[in-house]
Amino acid sequence: MRNLLILGGGYGGFRIIQRLLASSTIKDVSITLIEKEPYHSLKTEFYALAAGTVADTHLRLSFPNDVRLELKFEAVSEIMLENQIVKLSNGDELSYDDLIIGLGCEDKYHNVPGAAENTLSIQSMRRARKTYHVLQSVKANGKVAIVGGGLSGVELASELRESRRDLHVQLYDRGKNILSMFPPKLYHYVTDWLLENDVEIINEANITKVEREVIYNHGNPVEVDAIIWTAGIQANQIVRQLDVDKDNMGRVRVTKHYHIPGYKNVFVVGDCAALDHAPSAQLAESQAEQIVMLLEKKWNGEEFPEMMPKIKLKGVLGSLGKKHGFGLMGEKALTGRVPRVLKSGVLWMYKHHSGY
């Protein structure tokens, strides 16, 4: 019996498990999932958990209950590719025939002194919970700084308007405008919405240092009550420590079949893989579907396809509180209530029609 080890129960790992268990062609394969938390988390909604507008129970899904799946709720401490062994934080060592690495990402602090120690995060369920507790403890009319004007920073800033209307929210971004990856129609719309809702936007910011409740922009100190970091990501530390070729985000440069060069039995999925598209839950799920296809071929003694199907992403949707949103579907820019309703619908479908 082949032994498949999956590291990480995020969007990629979760989708692989669902598809493998639903496949009629998978036989004589045992699947073991290593995941720190006893549930799958809807990471794309952690901004709402941190802001206090959603309870964490609404952002969890149970892993499948199946005799072919063994669940180990532990942290990974080391991946030994040459020995085909994964070490866990409790001291256990697990061998594998095939390995899928989907350990996700962490905040990237760009070597800013004090940023790692003195800022809050929404990169994990536990850290988002901590951020929530800190934000809800901020005094009335307090000041909160969010570093990073990408999708996460914008959604968090807007959601804080739902939770704490009294707070003075500052959004720091190093670009000339927030949401620089979106077309002008969208970032102008979002900028106007934030300004109308009393979110202060500081463009062309340069955060040079962070102290406890003090943020330095271009060397100038600004006293605040809380600082949340949403200014970039990098691959999980365990992946960054691997002695393989990686990009500047610490993501593994994989082959067209998503395995590590020289290790045809080790696949990398999601934020740990250096792919052509920007990291996203949608990308991780699409890649997971293809990895399942490759595993089925491998286990059935078939050759991998010479050309892999092109991953086609449906678009990006963002929220501005509970009633407004923005999005990009293909070449079409969407603003207002429609993209917000669409995002709510996508989330509902994922929670209620995910296979288990």
Side-chain angles (χ1 to χ4, degrees), residues 261-307:
Y263 301 92
K264 291 186 177 182
N265 63 333
V266 181
F267 298 85
V268 187
V269 66
D271 296 341
C272 295
L275 303 178
D276 294 335
H277 302 278
S280 69
Q282 188 181 164
L283 176 62
E285 291 177 337
S286 297
Q287 187 193 2
E289 301 274 0
Q290 295 195 359
I291 289 176
V292 169
M293 176 267 291
L294 294 171
L295 287 173
E296 288 180 327
K297 288 187 176 297
K298 179 180 180 180
W299 294 338
N300 291 325
E302 303 173 20
E303 294 291 326
F304 285 172
E306 184 62 30
M307 293 291 293

Side-chain angles (χ1 to χ4, degrees), residues 92-281:
D92 288 352
E93 295 186 1
L94 304 179
S95 61
Y96 60 84
D97 296 312
D98 296 289
L99 177 68
I100 295 173
I101 301 174
L103 291 172
C105 62
E106 303 171 353
D107 290 299
K108 186 172 184 178
Y109 297 103
H110 309 285
N111 298 316
V112 175
E117 298 83 5
N118 298 307
T119 65
L120 302 165
S121 172
I122 57 172
Q123 282 299 326
S124 71
M125 178 77 86
R126 296 187 186 196
R127 300 194 73 184
R129 280 197 204 105
K130 178 182 177 182
T131 299
Y132 160 74
H133 288 297
V134 172
L135 290 176
Q136 296 308 311
S137 298
V138 171
K139 64 187 179 184
N141 303 310
K143 183 184 291 187
V144 173
I146 300 172
V147 182
L151 185 60
S152 295
V154 164
E155 289 191 308
L156 177 59
S158 64
E159 204 73 9
L160 271 176
R161 277 289 157 260
E162 301 277 341
S163 175
R164 291 286 306 269
R165 294 291 307 181
D166 62 294
L167 293 178
H168 176 200
V169 180
Q170 294 181 319
L171 183 59
Y172 289 83
D173 189 68
R174 64 182 178 181
K176 292 184 177 180
N177 53 265
I178 59 173
L179 297 176
S180 57
M181 73 293 291
F182 286 95
K185 176 182 177 180
L186 289 184
Y187 62 67
H188 285 314
Y189 171 80
V190 175
T191 297
D192 290 343
W193 189 96
L194 290 173
L195 294 177
E196 289 171 5
N197 286 272
D198 300 321
V199 174
E200 181 184 1
I201 302 174
I202 297 104
N203 293 123
E204 298 185 269
N206 180 25
I207 306 305
T208 52
K209 183 170 65 170
V210 180
E211 295 175 349
R212 180 175 172 81
E213 298 183 354
V214 181
I215 186 169
Y216 289 78
N217 183 26
H218 293 280
N220 299 315
V222 180
E223 292 187 5
V224 296
D225 296 289
I227 307 165
I228 307 106
W229 193 271
T230 63
I233 59 172
Q234 59 186 342
N236 183 286
Q237 181 181 3
I238 299 299
V239 173
R240 301 200 308 272
Q241 292 172 348
L242 290 176
D243 186 19
V244 298
D245 190 22
K246 298 181 286 288
D247 68 3
N248 61 0
M249 293 171 63
R251 302 179 303 177
V252 177
R253 298 189 190 277
V254 293
T255 69
K256 62 183 177 183
H257 296 123
Y258 307 125
H259 61 252
I260 299 177
Y263 301 92
K264 291 186 177 182
N265 63 333
V266 181
F267 298 85
V268 187
V269 66
D271 296 341
C272 295
L275 303 178
D276 294 335
H277 302 278
S280 69

Side-chain angles (χ1 to χ4, degrees), residues 50-71:
T53 56
V54 171
D56 64 3
T57 52
H58 294 160
L59 303 183
R60 305 178 195 166
L61 287 176
S62 299
F63 292 115
N65 182 11
D66 193 294
V67 294
R68 296 167 293 174
L69 175 65
E70 182 179 2
L71 303 172

